[in-house]
Amino acid sequence: MHRLVLALDTSSAAVTAAVVELTDDGCRTAAQRQHVDPRGHAEHLAPAIAECLNQIGAEPGDLTTVVAGTGPGPYTGLRVGLVTAAVIADVLDIPAYGVCSLDGIAGVHPDVRRLLVAGDARRKEIYWARYETGRRVAGPHVDRPGGVILEDVDAMAGAGARLYADRLELRLLDGDYPDPRALVLAARDRILNAEPTQPLTPLYLRRPDAAVPTGPKAVLQ
Amino acid sequence: MSSDAPLVLGIETSCDETGVGIVRGTELLADALATSVEEHARFGGVVPEVASRAHLEAMVPTICRALGSAGAAPRDVDAVAVTAGPGLAGALLVGVAAAKAYALALGKPLYGVNHLSAHVAVDLLEHGPLDEPCVALLVSGGHSSLLFVPRIGGEELTELGATVDDAAGEAYDKVARLLGMPFPGGPPIDRAARDGDPRAIEFPRAMREDGYAFSFAGLKTAVARWVEGRQRAGEPVPVADVAASFQEAVVDVLTHKAVKAAREHGVEHLVIGGGVAANSRLRALAEQRCARAGLRLRVPRPRLCTDNGAMVAALGAQLVANGATPSPLEIPADSALPITEVLL
Ligand SMILES: [Zn+2]
């Protein structure tokens, strides 16, 4: 069966939209748009989806599935992709599946035996996960680069890995941002088995910054 | 308006309310709301990140509830309107992205609109069309503005004045905290004031005779000083009298300037909107002063005064009816959107 999957990821500085064709024995990116603009997620995403559909002469109603990267990632942008995916899936009445965005980077390197994938978490931290031949074995977590155990890791990938390459000191592979085809492959079994969907919940990994006020005195300050 | 007017879905996420409304012409069909106000209460104010997280969780369920109570399917919606600003940046983004997704998926036009203008337009759902200039007073936790509005729901308006410091609702929140009352401060102060004497304490009325701008920071500080003076002297704080006297100072300035603006601009109608418009003393005093000045007062019911999706849909429906050009999918969320930009 031929499936037309809308793949979205806004967990990083890149705003990614793609239409991916998934069949029982293949997976191919039919159209893809990626804008690297850390503050432009809301502006770029919807037009990027429209351009992808246009490019292959498809209508939104032709989509059969939505796959969205659920992070971890800086929250404001991450929510843009997730609410977009959730609303499109709801109004078209098609399933939406969430995928850890770091899986979308690791999936490009399925043959690396022990891989570290790291995204930029800002505040001098990285979002990271470890993979063994394409399978996630640890994470996602958020830590300072120095807090990540690097023994037994062969290589690294991701924008966070590039940013702290001098500190992590591992062989850096291509692919700074999630790849839409890899995201779809990470959800492949769920899509082909038509598994029930779950709400698209962001992997925030951090609590909101907010302090409970201590007393009424603060009014005069 | 006729029953074949377009069906407009409106989305509002500028602060802590996730609102989705459905309107046909000036007829309100659905007004679904999810609020995160309780999550903010212990912080004494809205925490932007907490609000944004709540918007994401509530968005699809709230859209579904609105469609359900309007008896409509997603495809029945003819246009999508959304608050594009002003408001909390991260919160606005959730609504703007949701509205774009809805419009894109179903091939329907998108209207990114101004939140403040929507507060005025919502009155159409309560009192019907008003095709003449009016003066509008918008008061809430985030804004205090006096506007000249050529036509409710139209694309043009002029700001006559705004607050130079705190919004009126913000002063309510801060004074409530000082008096040990919960957030948001409007309702508990309004309640406590009913048992108090509004003339018990003479709080300052900043800039009362001074153009159309407002200032509430000095009033808030005056209340704090007065209360702390009492506490330092070991005397009890007469909470009801403080609440009543503070409230009187706020609504006296608001209604005085609003009525003055209406008379000086020769309009017949004064419209009041925003969360503080739910305040009983503001309504009563505005009623009294409008009657004396020969003005007609339009204040929507409290449920429509606070932030909601219906107000966005109401403005969207007017823009559609007037043949306004839809917004492109590229529009941003603009946290500082000027009040004069009704449509992006
Ligand atoms: Zn408002």
Side-chain angles (χ1 to χ4, degrees):
Chain A
M1 195 176 142
H2 181 91
R3 287 166 190 82
L4 213 53
V5 183
L6 176 67
L8 307 177
D9 191 281
T10 57
S11 66
S12 67
V15 184
T16 306
V19 177
V20 178
E21 289 173 350
L22 180 69
T23 56
D24 290 334
D25 49 12
C27 186
R28 181 183 85 84
T29 301
Q32 176 177 347
R33 290 288 182 282
Q34 191 165 67
H35 297 269
V36 178
D37 180 357
R39 306 186 64 82
H41 294 77
E43 285 92 325
H44 292 304
L45 185 61
I49 296 168
E51 285 171 25
C52 288
L53 288 167
N54 254 337
Q55 185 187 321
I56 60 168
E59 299 285 332
D62 297 332
L63 296 168
T64 62
T65 318
V66 182
V67 168
T70 56
Y75 319 143
T76 307
L78 178 58
R79 279 188 285 264
V80 168
L82 292 182
V83 80
T84 300
V87 170
I88 288 177
D90 186 67
V91 300
L92 295 178
D93 197 19
I94 57 177
Y97 297 103
V99 171
C100 172
S101 296
L102 302 178
D103 294 2
I105 297 172
V108 180
H109 309 287
D111 304 327
V112 177
R113 217 161 71 77
R114 291 167 306 195
L115 177 71
L116 173 78
V117 173
D120 179 12
R122 302 179 188 168
R123 304 185 206 173
K124 298 178 181 168
E125 291 184 321
I126 53 174
Y127 297 117
W128 67 274
R130 278 180 51 180
Y131 296 81
E132 286 179 9
T133 48
R135 196 172 57 87
R136 177 150 43 91
V137 294
H141 299 296
V142 62
D143 283 295
R144 295 231 166 186
V148 181
I149 296 162
L150 299 172
E151 289 162 33
D152 305 331
V153 179
D154 303 317
M156 62 180 182
R162 182 176 301 279
L163 188 61
Y164 297 105
D166 54 338
R167 226 166 305 170
L168 295 167
E169 291 185 321
L170 292 167
R171 182 163 59 94
L172 181 67
L173 304 180
D174 278 348
D176 283 3
Y177 306 113
D179 173 69
R181 182 174 171 276
L183 289 170
V184 172
L185 285 174
R188 182 178 181 275
D189 291 351
R190 281 181 282 167
I191 298 169
L192 295 182
N193 299 330
E195 284 183 24
T197 56
Q198 310 280 325
L200 296 172
T201 307
L203 293 162
Y204 286 122
L205 304 191
R206 287 183 187 133
R207 299 191 156 280
D209 291 324
V212 178
T214 46
K217 281 267 144 59
V219 171
L220 275 180
Q221 284 158 11
Chain B
M1 207 169 278
S2 66
S3 62
D4 55 1
L7 198 69
V8 179
L9 179 115
I11 297 178
E12 153 63 33
T13 63
S14 68
C15 192
D16 59 341
E17 321 275 3
T18 313
V20 180
I22 299 176
V23 162
R24 193 187 284 287
T26 57
E27 185 193 353
L28 175 62
L29 301 179
D31 178 18
L33 198 70
T35 179
S36 59
V37 67
E38 279 167 26
E39 296 174 55
H40 305 288
R42 69 197 178 97
F43 299 110
V46 173
V47 181
E49 176 61 20
V50 172
S52 301
R53 290 186 181 196
H55 285 311
L56 175 61
E57 273 176 48
M59 184 51 68
V60 168
T62 310
I63 291 175
C64 291
R65 268 199 293 132
L67 288 168
S69 56
R75 279 176 197 288
D76 297 336
V77 169
D78 297 304
V80 182
V82 63
T83 297
L88 302 170
L92 286 167
L93 275 179
V94 178
V96 167
K100 287 182 180 182
Y102 199 110
L104 166 68
L106 295 178
K108 301 298 167 75
L110 172 77
Y111 295 83
V113 305
N114 190 304
H115 176 84
L116 300 168
S117 202
H119 267 307
V120 182
V122 75
D123 184 66
L124 295 169
L125 305 178
E126 183 94 7
H127 297 112
L130 181 66
D131 296 320
E132 59 164 62
C134 64
V135 162
L137 171 68
L138 287 188
V139 267
S140 78
H143 28 83
S144 307
S145 296
L146 211 43
L147 309 171
F148 178 76
V149 184
R151 204 181 64 76
I152 297 185
E155 266 195 82
E156 278 172 37
L157 44 76
T158 316
E159 187 170 62
L160 304 174
T163 182
V164 297
D165 39 54
D166 292 1
E170 217 178 322
Y172 267 89
D173 292 340
K174 287 173 178 171
V175 167
R177 199 162 116 206
L178 190 79
L179 296 175
M181 294 170 180
F183 169 86
I189 287 188
D190 199 4
R191 265 194 305 277
R194 280 174 209 157
D195 302 321
D197 177 2
R199 276 158 305 192
I201 309 152
E202 193 60 37
F203 286 130
R205 271 105 164 121
M207 307 172 75
R208 189 179 188 275
E209 308 303 329
D210 204 13
Y212 295 129
F214 302 103
S215 165
F216 296 107
L219 171 61
K220 169 199 73 186
T221 309
V223 176
R225 292 244 156 81
W226 194 92
V227 168
E228 282 167 8
R230 276 294 181 114
Q231 287 167 335
R232 221 173 299 125
E235 291 171 42
V237 176
V239 169
D241 284 349
V242 174
S245 300
F246 158 75
Q247 175 154 290
E248 200 63 17
V250 174
V251 304
D252 173 38
V253 176
L254 289 175
T255 55
H256 174 75
K257 293 204 180 204
V259 167
K260 189 171 74 167
R263 296 179 75 164
E264 285 180 3
H265 286 81
V267 302
E268 278 175 38
H269 286 84
L270 172 67
V271 179
I272 304 186
V276 179
N279 183 276
S280 67
R281 182 58 190 149
L282 176 63
R283 286 175 172 245
L285 191 59
E287 199 74 67
Q288 203 183 314
R289 287 182 170 172
C290 279
R292 209 183 304 145
L295 292 170
R296 270 184 260 189
L297 178 67
R298 290 172 56 134
V299 193
R301 73 194 91 131
R303 177 68 169 80
L304 294 180
C305 286
T306 48
D307 292 351
N308 61 73
M311 66 191 221
V312 181
L315 177 54
Q318 293 305 304
L319 294 169
V320 173
N322 297 342
T325 308
S327 308
L329 284 177
E330 287 82 1
I331 57 164
D334 185 349
S335 60
L337 186 65
I339 199 162
T340 46
E341 279 195 46
V342 173
L343 173 65
L344 248 66

